[in-house]
Amino acid sequence: MAGNHAQDATIGVLALQGDFREHAAALKALGAHTVFVRRPHELEQVDALVIPGGESTAMWKLATTAEMFEPVRKRVADGMPAFGTCAGMIMMADRIVDAAAGQQTFGGLPITVRRNAFGRQTESFEEPIAFEGIDGELTGVFIRAPWVEEVDPGVEVLARVAGGPATGRIVAVRQGNLLATSFHPELTSDRRVHEFFVSMVRDAA
Ligand code: GLN
């Protein structure tokens, strides 16, 4: 298991579907020991897990086929640090609005997420985001993104949309070891959100 330094912790990136390569590149740029996770025995070897952006229904089905659904659900429930972006946020939510028929999530975060919340005319956009715990603004890249419609008590809101029709909508949350964003920090060259997660992993070790 991990030592006292995040450099010693192994951070897995769930590599069934989506932009897992970009997440691995961001983590490696920070010096974190990073591996792809596709099978249950690989999951057992990691101290933390990133759940990438992509398509949550495809990820759910592939996780089920790979016999990964229950193992990931259990590790997250048992307190493994996890960070989900976009589809990954959906996978970490306890409740989804506009889910596909039968769609299941790993859960862990007591939040309600609305899939494809920003509507067709804004399938993809960038928005400056103020993020609690990170100085200055970062660029939020949103692609058919969910927003967080509701959080249970105890969930920290880290970022909200600050302009346009979606003003005030929650787009980043944390509870304990779990972090999720509606947007894709892995698709920018700014590593501060990944750095934030790496320090959560270090604190959990
Ligand atoms: N709309 C996608 C879903 O429901 C998420 C999009 C993304 O991850 N960029 O999973």
Side-chain angles (χ1 to χ4, degrees):
M1 286 295 282
N4 292 324
H5 304 290
Q7 284 83 346
D8 302 329
T10 298
I11 302 183
V13 181
L14 187 64
L16 298 172
Q17 193 271 335
D19 67 350
F20 50 85
R21 289 178 194 83
E22 288 80 358
H23 273 291
L27 292 164
K28 284 177 183 168
L30 292 168
H33 182 236
T34 306
V35 297
F36 290 130
V37 170
R38 296 189 172 92
R39 307 290 306 160
H41 75 270
E42 295 168 329
L43 180 66
E44 284 166 19
Q45 283 152 22
V46 302
D47 301 295
L49 189 69
V50 170
I51 305 172
E55 173 50 52
S56 57
T57 56
M59 218 181 288
W60 155 55
K61 287 176 186 166
L62 289 166
T64 304
T65 309
E67 297 185 345
M68 285 291 280
F69 187 83
E70 199 49 37
V72 173
R73 194 202 60 73
K74 187 169 187 314
R75 284 289 314 265
V76 173
D78 288 348
M80 171 184 64
F83 170 29
T85 63
C86 202
M89 168 189 261
I90 295 169
M91 293 304 296
M92 288 171 67
D94 283 346
R95 303 176 295 266
I96 325 175
V97 179
D98 278 349
Q103 181 175 0
Q104 288 182 304
T105 65
F106 303 132
L109 279 172
I111 60 176
T112 303
V113 157
R114 178 177 292 276
R115 286 180 68 218
N116 304 324
F118 291 90
R120 278 186 204 288
Q121 57 278 47
T122 51
E123 282 225 328
S124 167
F125 61 98
E126 292 187 4
E127 186 77 27
I129 297 288
F131 191 103
E132 195 70 40
I134 293 177
D135 286 340
E137 281 179 337
L138 50 88
T139 301
V141 175
F142 294 83
I143 304 167
R144 292 175 52 83
W147 66 42
V148 180
E149 198 135 307
E150 200 175 74
V151 300
D152 283 7
V155 176
E156 281 173 78
V157 173
L158 299 179
R160 292 177 188 268
V161 175
T167 295
R169 290 295 183 180
I170 299 168
V171 291
V173 294
R174 175 187 180 173
Q175 186 182 56
N177 288 334
L178 305 182
L179 175 69
T181 65
S182 301
F183 50 91
H184 295 273
E186 71 279 14
L187 298 183
T188 71
S189 57
D190 184 341
R191 303 294 176 227
R192 290 177 297 166
V193 180
H194 287 81
E195 206 171 13
F196 186 93
F197 180 61
V198 169
S199 80
M200 283 172 54
V201 174
R202 180 173 53 228
D203 293 346

